Amino acid sequence: MLKSYLIIAYRNLLKNKVFSLINILGLAIGMAACLLILQYVTFELSYDDFHKKRDQIYRVGVAWYYPNGELEEKDAGNFGAAGPTMKAEIPEVEAFARFRPWFGNTLVKYKDVTLPQERIYFADPSVFSIFSFPILQGDAINGLEEAHSAVISKSTAHKYFGDEDPIGKTIELQQDSSVRLFTVKAVFQDVPINTHFTFDVLLSYKNLGEFGETDWGFSIANTYVLIQPNTDLLALQEKLQQLLQNHREATMKDAIGEVQFILQPLRDIYLYSDLRDETNSTGNCHTLYFLFLICVLTLCIAYANYINLSTARATERAQEVGIRQAIGASKPTLIGQFLLEALMINTLAIILAITLVQLLQEPFSWLTGQPADISLQNVPLFWLLCLCFFLVGALASGFYPAFILTSFNPVAVLKGKRIQTTKGSGLRKSLVVFQFSISVALIIGTLLMYQQLTFMRNQELGVDIEQIVVLKTPTVIDATFSKKTETFKNTLGAIPNVLRVTASTEVPGRHITWSNDLIHRKDVPAEYITSNYVIGVDYDFVETYDLQIIAGRDFDKHFGTDDKGLIINEKAAKLMGFESAEAAIGQPMVWGYQENDDDFRIIGVIKNFHQLGLQYDYDPMILTLQHQQESFYSCKVQGENVAATIQAIQQTYQQLFPDNPFSYFFLDEYFDQQYRADQQFGHVFLLFSGLAIFVACLGLLGLVTFTTSQRTKEIGIRKILGASIQSIVTLLSNEFIRLVLISSIIALPLAYWVTQQWLENYAFRIDIHWWMFLIPLILVLAIALLTISFQTIKAALANPADSLRYE
């Protein structure tokens, strides 16, 4: 019997090639899109999942509040003394581990190999007992107990040592004018991609000395705790807060504002953290939800097509059903046959879908920014979920058409009566409305996303980042660094295409790591004491970056007191309580807790500018003269002969700083990287929105094709009676256009609400205008009309004599 069912199913596929192709292609595209998005979502959800004790690991951050109780910022770091104190005084805390970045440009040297090295951290030895980072060689736990010891990754070991055994070897870390020696104690497996923090070199935390162990004033290290299973988190939070109050108040009596601990599960950090100073860029849970929703909706549209076409063709198979019932076939047997046909179509579709996924793997990896080698197609659980999803979808999409096909009266069918039934028509209309409601909403979302991204990239930043080449300052320096910097700047100034050069601790596009609540107005009320972000600059910074001074003046070498001068932005002036920018000029400032230290004064106020992308609000900022610890040289260049200009800059750099590698980047490109995640999400959203719309139109084409074929004789009679082609096309199109219009009415308020929620994630965002909804509506109507017209015009142009002979 099964063989008979398979033969019948195969014959029906061949008999109705167009409908079979539409069904299989629509399902395949929906499944392929679903598999690709599931792969992306699964990988994003897998962050930090490889740690065996992941459910017991929490990160403890801090939230800083102004004296008036307003939230200032939330920081991923914590106090150096917090970890040991929690371990000593809270029984639920089994262990702790701290990570503190090694700041600044660094060279690592071993024998003749000297290379720049990033991702260096100071860490406690408990890192390897709390987290699951496999040790390949040596003893990392005991090794990090010793000062001047290091543990390095496998790739780092190969970079410096090649095939030589690194254990026990000494490496030099060169920074500024200092050289520090560290002995390699162990090698660990490279940190996986799917973790919220990555590192290549770990140095013993003991190198930080007493400050790293006893400080309660600054959030200097990311602190993780391993807690006992089944711990009451609310009770633990209360204990942590009480511990903080007891120790911080005792040691920081003059501390300004309030601090609270933030307890974050390890699993939530990558997708749900909104803290400042994360070690790596984090993901976006909202992006994941949107993509997963598109995944489900695309597959639903594909299955809706199948249901629509299957129920629409029900009357064509009525005689077959009647004969089978007359010779004894039971209703469950018939339902089983039609379900088997649905499974066959779904099987062919999923084979095609898997083929598409294989072909699109590389382009999709490029589109999402995920490495091409993270495919989860070899993970059994992934395929098990896909199989379950496929079976449920196939049965769900096949059951209703099978029920419709087996509901006809066999006596009426065998007497040759035409089967007129409204069964399924309401569902078909509802499914068309559902499909195009989704399509309209997706087009609106895509348009608004494009508008927001364009707005962010084209908005005036208040700072000039065009044609600026940024160099990292030398890692190895000596006592003559300041003099060499001046020589370097003067020499570059003589290069024809170099307009200006400046040095600073930060450049636009980077999170400012130097924050300070010790800089405040003298004798200021407590509610005006705020934390500010500080950039160390030289005399040419404001001019090079074309910052707008709205009150006061720039730093000037002719004023001998500018070493104690400060330039603040509008946001800082407002938070400090000044009534206007002019009122801030000349005001004494305190840098420290000593109230008599009022040598600092505000000499200028600049207009707010975007240090970061428009996802973020303006920060209160202070510029101060800094002569020794600049991290970047910024060179404003002309647009002609850029390659030759950079080559000339490199020659000058290598002449003055011969022991330092030369590296540079264009600031506008660097700044634009902040929008990369939004761009990737926009591309993915556009791709899968387009696929969803294509599948919906594919189903509409099949439905229109069937409807026109059912009305072929009617069309012929109307043409003989004088009906025009236009009237026939209008007749055939009216019902579908009406359904599309209903879809739009449903989609518009839903799309408005969703996009409003999405735009709330941006500090600077576009205004939503009526035309942003009208354009998608017109576009969907145009697509639907083209889809419908393709078949209706063909039917209207047919010879009426052929139409009357139809059937």
Side-chain angles (χ1 to χ4, degrees):
M1 182 177 291
L2 179 61
K3 180 180 178 181
S4 173
Y5 287 169
L6 289 173
I7 292 173
I8 293 171
Y10 175 71
R11 288 173 178 172
N12 273 305
L13 286 178
L14 293 182
K15 180 182 178 182
N16 301 280
K17 295 182 180 66
V18 173
F19 295 103
S20 298
L21 180 62
I22 289 175
N23 272 331
I24 294 171
L25 185 60
L27 285 174
I29 292 174
M31 289 176 180
C34 189
L35 288 174
L36 286 170
I37 294 179
L38 276 179
Q39 176 178 295
Y40 178 85
V41 171
T42 304
F43 178 76
E44 290 290 290
L45 292 174
S46 72
Y47 267 68
D48 295 309
D49 205 38
F50 59 90
H51 297 293
K52 296 178 181 178
K53 301 175 183 178
R54 55 187 175 272
D55 295 326
Q56 297 174 249
I57 302 173
Y58 288 76
R59 184 176 67 183
V60 186
V62 292
W64 302 82
Y65 293 85
Y66 294 124
N68 62 3
E70 181 184 352
L71 177 64
E72 178 185 357
E73 71 174 26
K74 294 184 287 185
D75 197 333
N78 208 320
F79 311 111
T85 308
M86 287 186 286
K87 173 67 170 63
E89 299 186 12
I90 300 179
E92 291 88 345
V93 177
E94 294 184 3
F96 70 92
R98 294 165 294 184
F99 291 87
R100 174 175 170 77
W102 171 292
F103 293 106
N105 303 330
T106 306
L107 292 177
V108 172
K109 180 180 180 181
Y110 176 72
K111 293 183 178 179
D112 296 331
V113 180
T114 303
L115 297 170
Q117 181 64 53
E118 298 179 344
R119 306 200 305 188
I120 304 174
Y121 289 83
F122 297 100
D124 291 301
S126 54
V127 164
F128 293 99
S129 59
I130 294 177
F131 298 97
S132 301
F133 298 119
I135 303 299
L136 303 179
Q137 287 180 266
D139 185 349
I141 295 178
N142 292 326
L144 286 181
E145 288 285 0
E146 306 172 16
H148 304 292
S149 61
V151 177
I152 62 177
S153 68
K154 178 181 178 181
S155 59
T156 304
H158 181 73
K159 181 167 67 173
Y160 293 104
F161 299 98
D163 296 330
E164 187 178 347
D165 185 358
I167 305 302
K169 303 296 190 302
T170 300
I171 55 176
E172 298 179 10
L173 271 67
Q174 303 176 359
Q175 187 180 66
D176 299 335
S177 57
S178 65
V179 176
R180 302 177 67 179
L181 304 179
F182 292 88
T183 302
V184 177
K185 297 291 185 178
V187 177
F188 58 87
Q189 183 64 264
D190 288 352
V191 177
I193 300 171
N194 54 336
T195 181
H196 77 281
F197 69 101
T198 53
F199 49 87
D200 289 317
V201 178
L202 294 182
L203 309 176
S204 174
Y205 192 85
K206 291 186 176 180
N207 290 283
L208 294 176
E210 185 178 356
F211 171 75
E213 297 289 345
T214 61
D215 176 70
W216 286 97
F218 301 95
S219 51
I220 64 171
N222 285 13
T223 302
Y224 298 83
V225 294
L226 181 70
I227 67 172
Q228 294 180 354
N230 304 317
T231 296
D232 186 337
L233 295 180
L234 291 177
L236 177 60
Q237 183 74 55
E238 292 178 3
K239 290 183 179 181
L240 289 173
Q241 197 58 35
Q242 187 61 49
L243 176 145
L244 178 61
Q245 292 176 0
N246 293 342
H247 290 273
R248 181 171 163 79
E249 290 181 2
T251 57
M252 303 288 292
K253 295 181 180 179
D254 296 321
I256 301 168
E258 183 186 351
V259 177
Q260 293 183 4
F261 278 150
I262 303 170
L263 196 63
Q264 289 183 295
L266 180 67
R267 285 176 176 268
D268 292 351
I269 293 175
Y270 176 70
L271 285 178
Y272 299 96
S273 180
D274 59 348
L275 307 189
R276 196 176 182 98
D277 296 332
E278 291 282 357
T279 52
N280 281 358
S281 59
T282 55
N284 189 321
C285 60
H286 301 292
T287 299
L288 226 55
Y289 297 151
F290 274 119
L291 287 178
F292 186 74
L293 180 62
I294 292 175
C295 159
V296 174
L297 293 178
T298 304
L299 200 58
C300 287
I301 288 174
Y303 281 125
N305 285 344
Y306 179 83
I307 294 172
N308 258 345
L309 294 176
S310 297
T311 54
R313 291 183 58 245
T315 54
E316 286 192 346
R317 302 189 66 179
Q319 193 169 23
E320 174 193 342
V321 172
I323 293 174
R324 288 181 174 277
Q325 288 179 322
I327 60 176
S330 63
K331 190 170 184 177
T333 302
L334 291 172
I335 290 175
Q337 176 192 335
F338 294 124
L339 284 178
L340 183 63
E341 291 184 17
L343 284 172
M344 177 180 286
I345 290 176
N346 276 266
T347 300
L348 294 174
I350 202 166
I351 292 172
L352 179 58
I354 293 171
T355 304
L356 289 174
V357 169
Q358 294 287 347
L359 294 174
L360 296 175
Q361 191 67 55
E362 288 286 342
F364 185 72
S365 298
W366 172 84
L367 191 66
T368 59
Q370 287 185 345
D373 58 353
I374 56 89
S375 173
L376 301 179
Q377 296 175 28
N378 296 323
V379 179
L381 180 60
F382 177 78
W383 284 111
L384 180 62
L385 289 173
C386 293
L387 178 62
C388 293
F389 203 48
F390 155 69
L391 290 174
V392 171
L395 292 174
S397 64
F399 182 78
Y400 186 78
F403 176 79
I404 293 294
L405 287 168
T406 56
S407 64
F408 298 128
N409 186 335
V411 176
V413 170
L414 294 177
K415 285 182 177 180
K417 293 183 178 180
R418 183 174 177 85
I419 301 300
Q420 298 288 346
T421 178
T422 59
K423 290 182 179 180
S425 63
L427 176 65
R428 288 196 296 275
K429 292 177 181 179
S430 300
L431 290 176
V432 171
V433 170
F434 167 74
Q435 289 173 306
F436 280 90
S437 295
I438 295 171
S439 300
V440 172
L442 290 176
I443 292 178
I444 292 172
T446 303
L447 176 62
L448 285 172
M449 193 175 300
Y450 172 79
Q451 290 292 324
Q452 174 64 22
L453 190 58
T454 302
F455 168 78
M456 291 192 298
R457 299 182 69 181
N458 296 333
Q459 186 75 358
E460 288 293 330
L461 299 175
V463 57
D464 183 10
I465 62 173
E466 299 298 326
Q467 296 301 128
I468 289 183
V469 179
V470 179
L471 322 174
K472 289 187 177 181
T473 55
T475 301
V476 181
I477 63 175
D478 52 29
T480 64
F481 174 68
S482 295
K483 183 181 293 186
K484 285 184 177 180
T485 293
E486 286 301 314
T487 303
F488 179 68
K489 291 174 59 177
N490 293 334
T491 306
L492 291 189
I495 298 175
N497 289 333
V498 177
L499 303 178
R500 285 181 294 276
V501 183
T502 186
S504 59
T505 58
E506 295 291 353
V507 293
R510 282 176 52 89
H511 284 276
I512 302 174
T513 57
W514 186 0
S515 62
N516 204 324
D517 61 1
L518 306 184
I519 309 174
H520 56 87
R521 295 173 59 180
K522 181 176 174 62
D523 300 325
V524 72
E527 61 267 22
Y528 292 126
I529 296 179
T530 63
S531 180
N532 302 282
Y533 293 93
V534 184
I535 301 180
V537 303
D538 65 7
Y539 290 102
D540 303 304
F541 184 84
V542 172
E543 183 182 7
T544 301
Y545 280 104
D546 197 20
L547 302 180
Q548 183 179 346
I549 298 179
I550 58 177
R553 62 176 177 83
D554 191 4
F555 294 116
D556 194 325
K557 294 179 181 179
H558 296 95
F559 290 84
T561 59
D562 275 7
D563 280 345
K564 291 294 185 73
L566 302 174
I567 297 178
I568 64 176
N569 69 347
E570 294 174 288
K571 180 76 174 284
K574 181 180 179 181
L575 291 177
M576 290 177 184
F578 294 114
E579 294 182 358
S580 65
E582 290 75 14
I585 303 304
Q587 292 297 319
M589 299 290 289
V590 175
W591 192 323
Y593 292 120
Q594 295 76 25
E595 292 301 317
N596 60 351
D597 186 6
D598 58 357
D599 293 341
F600 290 88
R601 291 184 182 274
I602 297 174
I603 65 170
V605 178
I606 57 176
K607 189 175 181 62
N608 288 333
F609 68 90
H610 290 279
Q611 173 68 20
L612 299 173
L614 272 73
Q615 305 97 317
Y616 306 96
D617 200 357
Y618 295 117
D619 284 325
M621 296 174 58
I622 296 176
L623 306 184
T624 179
L625 278 178
Q626 187 81 15
H627 300 294
Q628 291 294 333
Q629 297 180 7
E630 295 94 344
S631 298
F632 301 97
Y633 294 134
S634 302
C635 308
K636 180 75 172 179
V637 300
Q638 290 181 338
E640 300 85 11
N641 299 320
V642 175
T645 302
I646 292 176
Q647 185 177 5
I649 293 173
Q650 181 176 359
Q651 290 174 353
T652 304
Y653 184 93
Q654 291 175 340
Q655 287 173 2
L656 287 168
F657 311 109
D659 297 327
N660 294 274
F662 176 82
S663 64
Y664 70 94
F665 57 85
F666 290 98
L667 188 58
D668 55 347
E669 296 176 359
Y670 180 81
F671 194 94
D672 200 51
Q673 289 178 4
Q674 298 175 90
Y675 304 130
R676 182 176 297 171
D678 294 288
Q679 288 176 303
Q680 288 173 343
F681 176 54
H683 293 155
V684 174
F685 194 89
L686 176 62
L687 171 64
F688 290 103
S689 298
L691 288 177
I693 295 167
F694 176 75
V695 173
C697 290
L698 202 61
L700 184 62
L701 175 63
L703 203 56
V704 171
T705 301
F706 177 77
T707 302
T708 53
S709 68
Q710 290 289 88
R711 303 179 69 174
T712 300
K713 188 172 290 186
E714 175 191 347
I715 292 170
I717 294 172
R718 287 180 180 275
K719 289 189 70 175
I720 289 174
L721 295 176
S724 66
I725 293 176
Q726 181 181 354
S727 64
I728 293 175
V729 171
T730 302
L731 173 70
L732 296 175
S733 304
N734 271 343
E735 181 180 356
F736 296 105
I737 295 301
R738 186 166 60 250
L739 294 177
V740 174
L741 287 172
I742 294 172
S743 304
S744 302
I745 294 172
I746 294 173
L748 291 179
L750 177 63
Y752 178 82
W753 180 80
V754 172
T755 51
Q756 278 280 44
Q757 298 299 311
W758 177 72
L759 287 172
E760 288 295 324
N761 295 317
Y762 297 90
F764 298 87
R765 50 187 175 269
I766 59 172
D767 295 322
I768 298 179
H769 301 287
W770 60 269
W771 60 267
M772 297 178 181
F773 295 88
L774 180 61
I775 289 177
L777 176 59
I778 294 173
L779 183 60
V780 168
L781 281 172
I783 292 172
L785 276 172
L786 285 173
T787 305
I788 295 167
S789 300
F790 175 77
Q791 191 63 32
T792 54
I793 293 175
K794 178 182 175 182
L797 291 173
N799 189 328
D802 294 334
S803 301
L804 293 176
R805 285 197 297 267
Y806 184 74
E807 298 177 346

